Every structure is written in structure tokens, then in C-alpha cells.
Amino acid sequence: MARILIVDDSPSQLMGIRRIVEKLGHEALTAEDGAAGVEAAKRELPDLILMDVVMPNLNGFQATRSITRDPSTKHIPVVLVTTKDQDTDRVWGMRQGAKAYLTKPFSETELAEAIVGTIGGDAPAASTEPEPEPPTAE
């Protein structure tokens, strides 16, 4: 079970994402804007941060940059979860240090895949059996 910080200024989005995170068996922490998200990241040191972009005080790009450049939090992967769906937004978000970018609206499956793709978990385990030898021409 991972500890996942959800940062979003929309109460309905916050609760919807929280419900999915908890349904997947993870612990959900929340913050209601970018500045609160940066402080929660420093205080709680979660395993993953799901970060909205369009927020008051400190937007998600600024908060992601702050988290990924701070020595105490730079190890925490950030997934941007936003309505901003332009290629330039995606590129800018990744340049701020985000590990993945998910656009709203998203399905529960898409969010689960973003979480697993970033921190691992319920993905199918890799086979430990050796690969068979290719047939030889005789």
C-alpha cells in the first residue's frame, strides 16, 4: 500500500480521486492548493503525488518544480492530473519534473495505470522462468 498525496482545489475532484486511490488499496492524503501540496509533501513524504495544474496560490507546474528540486522531496514522483491537454502543457509539465501526465476527464483504469506505471504495484509480475532457447536448425 502506497501513501498518495492528492493535490486539487476542486472538492469534487479531490474526493473522486481519493475514492479511486483508496479503492486501489492505497492511503490517500489531500491538499487543496499547490502551496499546501508542497508543505504536505515535505511533512508527509508520500510515495506519490497526484497534482492538479490549475490552482490558486501556487499552480501545479510551480508546485511540481518546487517538489522535484527540493533535496528532501525530489525522490517523490509527481503525476500531473489536469484539464490542460495541449502538447505544450504536457512538455512543460514534464520539464518541471513530473513523471507522468494524465488529462481530465480520465477513467478509473487510466488513473490506476498511471499510479502503477509510476510506483509499481499491481502490475502483472514478470516471469521468473528463463526464456526458451530458440530451435536450432539441424
Side-chain angles (χ1 to χ4, degrees), residues 11-66:
S12 61
Q13 286 289 318
L14 203 58
M15 289 303 105
I17 296 170
R18 179 184 196 133
R19 182 185 55 76
I20 294 169
V21 164
E22 290 175 345
K23 183 177 177 183
L24 293 170
H26 302 294
E27 179 184 350
L29 311 167
T30 60
E32 296 178 0
D33 64 44
V38 170
E39 289 307 311
K42 290 177 183 178
R43 183 179 64 249
E44 300 291 339
L45 298 175
D47 299 305
L48 174 67
I49 300 170
L50 301 174
M51 178 79 69
D52 186 23
V53 171
V54 181
M55 296 183 288
N57 301 327
L58 194 66
N59 71 44
F61 292 142
Q62 294 165 319
T64 297
R65 183 172 52 244
S66 177

Side-chain angles (χ1 to χ4, degrees), residues 131-138:
E131 290 201 22
E133 294 293 322
T136 57
E138 291 185 30

Side-chain angles (χ1 to χ4, degrees), residues 1-2 5 12 19-21 33 51 54 66-67 74 77 85 87 89 92 98 101 105 108 119-121 123 131:
M1 173 172 90
L5 173 61
S12 61
R19 182 185 55 76
I20 294 169
V21 164
D33 64 44
M51 178 79 69
V54 181
S66 177
I67 290 165
K74 69 181 182 180
D85 62 356
D87 287 340
D89 298 320
W92 185 246
Y101 196 99
E108 187 172 319
I119 61 171
E131 290 201 22

Side-chain angles (χ1 to χ4, degrees), residues 62-82:
Q62 294 165 319
T64 297
R65 183 172 52 244
S66 177
I67 290 165
T68 60
R69 298 208 172 127
D70 185 307
S72 67
T73 55
K74 69 181 182 180
H75 67 282
I76 305 169
V78 177
V79 175
L80 291 171
V81 183
T82 179

